[in-house]
Amino acid sequence: MPDRDAKGSLVLPRPISVGRAFRMPLDFSERRILLTGIDLAAVNSALILALGFRPHPTVDPMLVTRHPYWFLILSGLWLVTGHAFDVYELRVAGRFAASAPGVIKAAVLAAVIYLVIPYITPPLPTSRWTLASFPCFLIAGLLLGRGIYSWAIPMPLYERRTLIIGAGWAGRAIAQALASIDRVGYHIVGFVDDDPRKAGTLMAVGGESPPDGGVGAAGLSVLGSSQAIADLIAAHHVSTLILAIPGEVDADLLHILMGCVERGVEMVPMPVIYEQLTGRVPVEHVGEKWYASIPVYPRVTSTLWQIAKRIMDIALATVGLACLLPLLPCIALAIVLDSPGPVFYV
């Protein structure tokens, strides 16, 4: 059981250090945003290159501001055709060979529709070679972007080091789902379970063993009980907890997990991530109302939210400092005249 103080109150886990090295773990929604941004940059760059490739180039520094609808229409077409061909399905997006056919089909369809729309898109070139340049640039740019994505996304910088709470049927099911999908971006360090018979045991899961450990055919160890969650998070630089307990979560464990979330660790119910990975709802693992009180993807644990918040903090602090700067000498003088001791203190 978790420690309690002299008054019987539950002691929260000590502050958690997610990792010493800089890490930027991305969840599924953030990966889709990143992938969408890469694709939109590729399709609009392809249009600019195609316009410059014509016998009478129409590219100039003010092209985007003079004809914004050219790029907006192309971006909209790509998003529609891309989703029609499931190019943002993350189960295949991380593998270049698997995602390339859908990307090529969506790019060809988007290019053909874009070129035949009259008046509100660039006029058709008279040369067939120039006409073919846009689809070629579009396909090449998108494939290049997908290649960069599939190369970069498995890197440890974007990896979510994960601890599974519960080594039972549900915990092993989500571990097998993560093991069966290549380049999913989750590195499981082990299980946590309060059953003393499972402590230190190796739980078998499917999949091939990666070179640096994690999910594999050899299985995953039960690293400790719930009272060791904070220590395990700090020791293994965990950024995500997967709650795989298909029954009621007792008050002490819930209190510990809430403390972890407040300290910046993401917590995801097993059925949620299982559905995102496989596209199927694990009805056999969904307990009776056990997940109703669990915050799924709290905004404070989102990488993009943290980056945006930090940028806003710095911007507002800079504006506030600039406004206050002329008054600082007067404030310092008032402190000197009114109070003994130095102006600054620590």
mmCIF file of all heavy atoms in Angstrom, residues 287-311:
data_model
loop_
_atom_site.group_PDB
_atom_site.id
_atom_site.type_symbol
_atom_site.label_atom_id
_atom_site.label_comp_id
_atom_site.label_asym_id
_atom_site.label_seq_id
_atom_site.Cartn_x
_atom_site.Cartn_y
_atom_site.Cartn_z
ATOM 1 N N GLY A 287 -13.932 -2.654 -18.652
ATOM 2 C CA GLY A 287 -14.602 -2.931 -17.390
ATOM 3 C C GLY A 287 -15.830 -2.054 -17.216
ATOM 4 O O GLY A 287 -16.193 -1.252 -18.080
ATOM 5 N N GLU A 288 -16.479 -2.195 -16.103
ATOM 6 C CA GLU A 288 -17.726 -1.493 -15.843
ATOM 7 C C GLU A 288 -17.447 -0.116 -15.239
ATOM 8 O O GLU A 288 -17.194 0.017 -14.045
ATOM 9 C CB GLU A 288 -18.600 -2.315 -14.890
ATOM 10 C CG GLU A 288 -19.975 -1.715 -14.665
ATOM 11 C CD GLU A 288 -20.830 -2.588 -13.764
ATOM 12 O OE1 GLU A 288 -20.427 -3.738 -13.510
ATOM 13 O OE2 GLU A 288 -21.882 -2.116 -13.316
ATOM 14 N N LYS A 289 -17.460 0.907 -16.108
ATOM 15 C CA LYS A 289 -17.326 2.303 -15.699
ATOM 16 C C LYS A 289 -15.990 2.623 -15.033
ATOM 17 O O LYS A 289 -15.848 3.659 -14.407
ATOM 18 C CB LYS A 289 -18.464 2.703 -14.750
ATOM 19 C CG LYS A 289 -19.851 2.551 -15.318
ATOM 20 C CD LYS A 289 -20.901 2.960 -14.316
ATOM 21 C CE LYS A 289 -22.301 2.779 -14.887
ATOM 22 N NZ LYS A 289 -23.348 3.133 -13.912
ATOM 23 N N TRP A 290 -14.973 1.779 -15.219
ATOM 24 C CA TRP A 290 -13.725 2.019 -14.508
ATOM 25 C C TRP A 290 -12.943 3.207 -15.062
ATOM 26 O O TRP A 290 -12.125 3.791 -14.368
ATOM 27 C CB TRP A 290 -12.843 0.776 -14.536
ATOM 28 C CG TRP A 290 -12.360 0.401 -15.907
ATOM 29 C CD1 TRP A 290 -12.990 -0.406 -16.787
ATOM 30 C CD2 TRP A 290 -11.157 0.817 -16.537
ATOM 31 N NE1 TRP A 290 -12.267 -0.524 -17.930
ATOM 32 C CE2 TRP A 290 -11.135 0.214 -17.809
ATOM 33 C CE3 TRP A 290 -10.095 1.644 -16.171
ATOM 34 C CZ2 TRP A 290 -10.099 0.412 -18.697
ATOM 35 C CZ3 TRP A 290 -9.055 1.842 -17.059
ATOM 36 C CH2 TRP A 290 -9.065 1.227 -18.313
ATOM 37 N N TYR A 291 -13.219 3.576 -16.311
ATOM 38 C CA TYR A 291 -12.442 4.642 -16.936
ATOM 39 C C TYR A 291 -13.162 5.983 -16.901
ATOM 40 O O TYR A 291 -12.667 6.970 -17.436
ATOM 41 C CB TYR A 291 -12.149 4.297 -18.404
ATOM 42 C CG TYR A 291 -13.380 3.957 -19.212
ATOM 43 C CD1 TYR A 291 -14.131 4.947 -19.819
ATOM 44 C CD2 TYR A 291 -13.797 2.641 -19.340
ATOM 45 C CE1 TYR A 291 -15.265 4.635 -20.549
ATOM 46 C CE2 TYR A 291 -14.931 2.327 -20.064
ATOM 47 C CZ TYR A 291 -15.659 3.325 -20.671
ATOM 48 O OH TYR A 291 -16.777 3.011 -21.376
ATOM 49 N N ALA A 292 -14.328 6.051 -16.276
ATOM 50 C CA ALA A 292 -15.131 7.276 -16.354
ATOM 51 C C ALA A 292 -14.432 8.470 -15.725
ATOM 52 O O ALA A 292 -14.592 9.608 -16.169
ATOM 53 C CB ALA A 292 -16.475 7.055 -15.672
ATOM 54 N N SER A 293 -13.636 8.226 -14.676
ATOM 55 C CA SER A 293 -12.995 9.342 -13.969
ATOM 56 C C SER A 293 -11.568 9.585 -14.409
ATOM 57 O O SER A 293 -10.868 10.404 -13.811
ATOM 58 C CB SER A 293 -13.002 9.062 -12.456
ATOM 59 O OG SER A 293 -12.281 7.874 -12.183
ATOM 60 N N ILE A 294 -11.107 8.891 -15.438
ATOM 61 C CA ILE A 294 -9.717 9.032 -15.863
ATOM 62 C C ILE A 294 -9.618 10.078 -16.962
ATOM 63 O O ILE A 294 -10.306 9.999 -17.973
ATOM 64 C CB ILE A 294 -9.173 7.681 -16.396
ATOM 65 C CG1 ILE A 294 -9.293 6.611 -15.314
ATOM 66 C CG2 ILE A 294 -7.731 7.828 -16.827
ATOM 67 C CD1 ILE A 294 -8.534 6.900 -14.061
ATOM 68 N N PRO A 295 -8.741 11.087 -16.810
ATOM 69 C CA PRO A 295 -8.570 12.086 -17.866
ATOM 70 C C PRO A 295 -7.758 11.522 -19.019
ATOM 71 O O PRO A 295 -6.621 11.117 -18.836
ATOM 72 C CB PRO A 295 -7.803 13.215 -17.156
ATOM 73 C CG PRO A 295 -7.047 12.533 -16.076
ATOM 74 C CD PRO A 295 -7.896 11.355 -15.645
ATOM 75 N N VAL A 296 -8.357 11.453 -20.205
ATOM 76 C CA VAL A 296 -7.677 10.935 -21.379
ATOM 77 C C VAL A 296 -6.956 12.089 -22.077
ATOM 78 O O VAL A 296 -7.564 13.095 -22.423
ATOM 79 C CB VAL A 296 -8.687 10.283 -22.351
ATOM 80 C CG1 VAL A 296 -7.976 9.732 -23.566
ATOM 81 C CG2 VAL A 296 -9.454 9.189 -21.629
ATOM 82 N N TYR A 297 -5.654 11.925 -22.277
ATOM 83 C CA TYR A 297 -4.839 12.938 -22.931
ATOM 84 C C TYR A 297 -5.079 14.320 -22.331
ATOM 85 O O TYR A 297 -5.532 15.237 -23.029
ATOM 86 C CB TYR A 297 -5.108 12.992 -24.445
ATOM 87 C CG TYR A 297 -4.709 11.733 -25.158
ATOM 88 C CD1 TYR A 297 -5.638 10.994 -25.862
ATOM 89 C CD2 TYR A 297 -3.402 11.269 -25.098
ATOM 90 C CE1 TYR A 297 -5.265 9.819 -26.512
ATOM 91 C CE2 TYR A 297 -3.040 10.106 -25.749
ATOM 92 C CZ TYR A 297 -3.965 9.399 -26.454
ATOM 93 O OH TYR A 297 -3.608 8.253 -27.093
ATOM 94 N N PRO A 298 -4.834 14.516 -21.044
ATOM 95 C CA PRO A 298 -4.982 15.858 -20.482
ATOM 96 C C PRO A 298 -4.095 16.827 -21.216
ATOM 97 O O PRO A 298 -2.971 16.503 -21.585
ATOM 98 C CB PRO A 298 -4.530 15.686 -19.022
ATOM 99 C CG PRO A 298 -3.693 14.447 -19.013
ATOM 100 C CD PRO A 298 -4.259 13.564 -20.086
ATOM 101 N N ARG A 299 -4.596 18.039 -21.437
ATOM 102 C CA ARG A 299 -3.902 18.994 -22.293
ATOM 103 C C ARG A 299 -2.522 19.353 -21.754
ATOM 104 O O ARG A 299 -1.617 19.670 -22.508
ATOM 105 C CB ARG A 299 -4.766 20.243 -22.430
ATOM 106 C CG ARG A 299 -4.354 21.157 -23.556
ATOM 107 C CD ARG A 299 -5.437 22.131 -23.921
ATOM 108 N NE ARG A 299 -6.028 22.784 -22.783
ATOM 109 C CZ ARG A 299 -6.933 23.747 -22.886
ATOM 110 N NH1 ARG A 299 -7.340 24.133 -24.079
ATOM 111 N NH2 ARG A 299 -7.451 24.312 -21.820
ATOM 112 N N VAL A 300 -2.356 19.271 -20.415
ATOM 113 C CA VAL A 300 -1.079 19.651 -19.842
ATOM 114 C C VAL A 300 0.033 18.708 -20.263
ATOM 115 O O VAL A 300 1.202 19.067 -20.242
ATOM 116 C CB VAL A 300 -1.182 19.712 -18.300
ATOM 117 C CG1 VAL A 300 -1.356 18.322 -17.718
ATOM 118 C CG2 VAL A 300 0.037 20.381 -17.690
ATOM 119 N N THR A 301 -0.279 17.452 -20.660
ATOM 120 C CA THR A 301 0.748 16.496 -21.049
ATOM 121 C C THR A 301 1.031 16.526 -22.548
ATOM 122 O O THR A 301 1.889 15.793 -23.016
ATOM 123 C CB THR A 301 0.320 15.071 -20.665
ATOM 124 O OG1 THR A 301 -0.825 14.702 -21.432
ATOM 125 C CG2 THR A 301 -0.006 14.975 -19.194
ATOM 126 N N SER A 302 0.340 17.352 -23.306
ATOM 127 C CA SER A 302 0.541 17.417 -24.748
ATOM 128 C C SER A 302 1.817 18.177 -25.071
ATOM 129 O O SER A 302 2.057 19.272 -24.560
ATOM 130 C CB SER A 302 -0.655 18.114 -25.411
ATOM 131 O OG SER A 302 -0.363 18.433 -26.747
ATOM 132 N N THR A 303 2.653 17.593 -25.933
ATOM 133 C CA THR A 303 3.907 18.248 -26.306
ATOM 134 C C THR A 303 3.652 19.572 -27.003
ATOM 135 O O THR A 303 4.293 20.587 -26.692
ATOM 136 C CB THR A 303 4.720 17.320 -27.224
ATOM 137 O OG1 THR A 303 4.991 16.097 -26.527
ATOM 138 C CG2 THR A 303 6.033 17.973 -27.624
ATOM 139 N N LEU A 304 2.703 19.583 -27.961
ATOM 140 C CA LEU A 304 2.417 20.837 -28.671
ATOM 141 C C LEU A 304 1.854 21.886 -27.726
ATOM 142 O O LEU A 304 2.152 23.078 -27.849
ATOM 143 C CB LEU A 304 1.437 20.564 -29.816
ATOM 144 C CG LEU A 304 1.955 19.667 -30.939
ATOM 145 C CD1 LEU A 304 0.897 19.497 -32.008
ATOM 146 C CD2 LEU A 304 3.226 20.241 -31.540
ATOM 147 N N TRP A 305 1.026 21.443 -26.768
ATOM 148 C CA TRP A 305 0.482 22.385 -25.792
ATOM 149 C C TRP A 305 1.604 22.976 -24.939
ATOM 150 O O TRP A 305 1.637 24.175 -24.664
ATOM 151 C CB TRP A 305 -0.536 21.680 -24.907
ATOM 152 C CG TRP A 305 -0.966 22.488 -23.711
ATOM 153 C CD1 TRP A 305 -0.518 22.343 -22.438
ATOM 154 C CD2 TRP A 305 -1.892 23.578 -23.690
ATOM 155 N NE1 TRP A 305 -1.108 23.262 -21.607
ATOM 156 C CE2 TRP A 305 -1.962 24.034 -22.345
ATOM 157 C CE3 TRP A 305 -2.668 24.207 -24.651
ATOM 158 C CZ2 TRP A 305 -2.782 25.084 -21.965
ATOM 159 C CZ3 TRP A 305 -3.480 25.248 -24.257
ATOM 160 C CH2 TRP A 305 -3.535 25.684 -22.943
ATOM 161 N N GLN A 306 2.557 22.160 -24.505
ATOM 162 C CA GLN A 306 3.660 22.646 -23.689
ATOM 163 C C GLN A 306 4.524 23.630 -24.461
ATOM 164 O O GLN A 306 4.963 24.646 -23.918
ATOM 165 C CB GLN A 306 4.494 21.465 -23.197
ATOM 166 C CG GLN A 306 3.773 20.587 -22.185
ATOM 167 C CD GLN A 306 4.575 19.369 -21.791
ATOM 168 O OE1 GLN A 306 5.674 19.155 -22.311
ATOM 169 N NE2 GLN A 306 4.040 18.569 -20.887
ATOM 170 N N ILE A 307 4.782 23.320 -25.752
ATOM 171 C CA ILE A 307 5.588 24.236 -26.568
ATOM 172 C C ILE A 307 4.861 25.563 -26.756
ATOM 173 O O ILE A 307 5.446 26.645 -26.603
ATOM 174 C CB ILE A 307 5.910 23.588 -27.929
ATOM 175 C CG1 ILE A 307 6.830 22.385 -27.732
ATOM 176 C CG2 ILE A 307 6.554 24.606 -28.871
ATOM 177 C CD1 ILE A 307 7.070 21.600 -29.004
ATOM 178 N N ALA A 308 3.550 25.507 -27.095
ATOM 179 C CA ALA A 308 2.775 26.735 -27.279
ATOM 180 C C ALA A 308 2.701 27.542 -25.992
ATOM 181 O O ALA A 308 2.822 28.776 -26.012
ATOM 182 C CB ALA A 308 1.370 26.389 -27.775
ATOM 183 N N LYS A 309 2.532 26.863 -24.867
ATOM 184 C CA LYS A 309 2.456 27.560 -23.581
ATOM 185 C C LYS A 309 3.781 28.239 -23.272
ATOM 186 O O LYS A 309 3.811 29.377 -22.784
ATOM 187 C CB LYS A 309 2.092 26.578 -22.472
ATOM 188 C CG LYS A 309 1.969 27.229 -21.097
ATOM 189 C CD LYS A 309 1.631 26.207 -20.049
ATOM 190 C CE LYS A 309 1.484 26.876 -18.675
ATOM 191 N NZ LYS A 309 2.727 27.558 -18.252
ATOM 192 N N ARG A 310 4.893 27.542 -23.539
ATOM 193 C CA ARG A 310 6.204 28.133 -23.260
ATOM 194 C C ARG A 310 6.441 29.364 -24.129
ATOM 195 O O ARG A 310 6.970 30.385 -23.650
ATOM 196 C CB ARG A 310 7.297 27.094 -23.503
ATOM 197 C CG ARG A 310 8.699 27.569 -23.149
ATOM 198 C CD ARG A 310 8.794 27.961 -21.689
ATOM 199 N NE ARG A 310 10.137 28.371 -21.336
ATOM 200 C CZ ARG A 310 10.444 29.042 -20.239
ATOM 201 N NH1 ARG A 310 9.488 29.381 -19.374
ATOM 202 N NH2 ARG A 310 11.695 29.373 -19.981
ATOM 203 N N ILE A 311 6.081 29.287 -25.412
ATOM 204 C CA ILE A 311 6.247 30.440 -26.306
ATOM 205 C C ILE A 311 5.405 31.616 -25.825
ATOM 206 O O ILE A 311 5.869 32.768 -25.797
ATOM 207 C CB ILE A 311 5.864 30.049 -27.745
ATOM 208 C CG1 ILE A 311 6.873 29.027 -28.300
ATOM 209 C CG2 ILE A 311 5.808 31.280 -28.650
ATOM 210 C CD1 ILE A 311 6.490 28.475 -29.646
#
